[in-house]
Amino acid sequence: MTAASSGPGFSTTVEALRLREWLLGPGQATVVMDQFSADDFRLVVDDRADVHVNSKDGSFYLGWFPSGRPGTDGEGWKIAVTGTAKVRGYQTSFDTETPADVVAAVARVLETSQRV
């Protein structure tokens, strides 16, 4: 069923307006961690059970803090990439309830990295 439009605006379907289910909850961190091979990355689990992944060249960092990163308000994930002399790096973080699948999608930017 399509809503008829007699002037400016838009038309849609009843199906498009139905409620949707969205991915919620932290999920499994392995979805993220499994992207990083021991050939290029170091993985450390500390005494709080936080997980830290660093590229061997030190330009990439990923931290997973299941109980929240100390000193923050519920930060569960931290991704940081070091810049160069000419281009600034960046960092982003997600809270503890962000689905691991979302973080994994962001972390996939590593697929675009190149050895120099």
Side-chain angles (χ1 to χ4, degrees):
M1 173 176 169
T2 302
S5 177
S6 61
F10 65 94
S11 64
T12 188
T13 63
V14 171
E15 184 61 33
L17 297 173
R18 293 191 196 286
L19 291 177
R20 302 179 58 91
E21 287 187 19
W22 296 95
L23 185 61
L24 296 172
Q28 297 296 319
T30 55
V31 171
V32 179
M33 300 303 168
D34 287 350
Q35 295 182 65
F36 305 101
S37 71
D39 294 337
D40 296 316
F41 298 91
R42 291 185 190 97
L43 182 131
V44 174
V45 179
D46 66 20
D47 61 342
R48 286 177 23 100
D50 296 335
V51 179
H52 309 274
V53 175
N54 291 295
S55 60
K56 288 187 177 177
D57 68 358
S59 61
F60 175 83
Y61 170 78
L62 169 76
W64 177 51
F65 309 91
S67 299
R69 185 172 175 211
T72 67
D73 186 24
E75 185 177 80
W77 295 92
K78 180 72 155 190
I79 298 174
V81 176
T82 303
T84 66
K86 296 181 180 180
V87 181
R88 289 177 41 162
Y90 61 90
Q91 59 182 331
T92 188
S93 59
F94 302 91
D95 68 27
T96 56
E97 290 301 310
T98 300
D101 291 306
V102 172
V103 179
V106 172
R108 282 193 190 100
V109 301
L110 291 175
E111 293 173 356
T112 64
S113 71
Q114 303 173 12
R115 289 191 184 270
V116 288

